[in-house]
Each structure stands twice: as C-alpha cells, then as structure tokens.
Amino acid sequence: MSRPAQRNKKSAIYQAQMRQIWVILGVMIFGFVLSYVMADGDRLIAKGLLIGALVAFIGQLIFTHIAYHTVGAKYARQIMLNTYLGLVIKWAVTLALFSFVFLKIQPISTASVIMGYIILILSQNLVLIKIK
C-alpha cells in the first residue's frame, strides 16, 4: 500500500531562509565583541565571520530558489532535477565566492571566514531539522 506524497513546505522553507538574516546579525555582533576582546584593531575577526556567514547564506539562498521553484506531485522528476541542479550551482557559487574572498579581500582572517561559514551552515541545518 502506498502513501500519498507529503505536502511541500515551500513557504516555511523560504521564511526560515529569510530568518537566517538574524543569525547573520548575531554572528556579526559576536564578531565585533570577539574582535574587541581579542584587541583586533582592524576588526579582521568580525569581518571574516561576517563574510563567511554571507557566503553560506548566498549559496543556500540560490539553492532554495532553484530547488523549490517547482512544486507538485506531477512534477516529481523536475523537482529532483532542480534539487541536483541547485546543489551543483550552490557549490559552484560557494567555491567562487570563497575564491573571490581569499584572493581579493586582504587582509582577512582565514579561520574566522571558515568559522562564520560553519556557524551559518549549522544554523541552517538545525532550522531544516526543525521544519521536518
């Protein structure tokens, strides 16, 4: 016996994606506090955390737009293809943004960029687990 397909939570996913802006704001504030505590005069830690979080946000925003563009049970194959396409484009954009950041933005704290990226990715995964 088969089960009917679950309804897509497209609007909830878009809302959760936009709420990630608050996490970016929190990461930015945390970065400024950490820069102050560590006596980082150039605010390299704050700048790195913010840039890393923005790289993750932009990549996930692109994926969300592509993957959830089409909905409906009769478009199951198209939805699967959009998900794969969204993942490929997300990783290509993420790699391009990281390359741009590390090649063009100097000076920058590499560790803080990566930590900002990881913080936002973990936040996004927690939100998606909560939605399911």
Side-chain angles (χ1 to χ4, degrees):
M1 185 173 207
S2 64
R3 287 185 344 183
Q6 296 285 329
R7 281 214 168 264
N8 189 325
K9 299 178 180 176
K10 181 178 179 177
S11 63
I13 291 170
Y14 278 122
Q15 287 175 353
Q17 178 70 36
M18 287 301 124
R19 275 189 244 127
Q20 290 295 307
I21 292 172
W22 292 106
V23 177
I24 293 172
L25 181 64
V27 167
M28 184 177 71
I29 292 169
F30 174 73
F32 280 118
V33 169
L34 193 60
S35 288
Y36 179 75
V37 169
M38 304 277 292
D40 179 20
D42 293 335
R43 306 283 184 247
L44 296 179
I45 295 171
K47 185 167 81 169
L49 283 172
L50 179 62
I51 290 173
L54 286 174
V55 167
F57 180 76
I58 291 169
Q60 189 64 29
L61 188 66
I62 290 170
F63 170 76
T64 303
H65 180 69
I66 293 171
Y68 292 100
H69 181 70
T70 306
V71 295
K74 64 181 178 179
Y75 299 111
R77 182 172 168 79
Q78 184 65 39
I79 292 169
M80 184 178 68
L81 292 174
N82 284 349
T83 302
Y84 291 139
L85 178 65
L87 281 173
V88 169
I89 292 174
K90 171 189 173 179
W91 285 112
V93 167
T94 301
L95 288 173
L97 287 173
F98 271 126
S99 298
F100 175 79
V101 166
F102 292 132
L103 292 174
K104 298 294 182 183
I105 299 177
Q106 296 296 330
I108 195 163
S109 171
T110 305
S112 63
V113 171
I114 293 170
M115 285 307 298
Y117 180 82
I118 290 171
I119 289 169
L120 204 71
I121 291 295
L122 289 175
S123 169
Q124 290 169 344
N125 287 333
L126 289 173
V127 168
L128 289 176
I129 288 170
K130 191 176 179 181
I131 288 176
K132 267 190 168 180

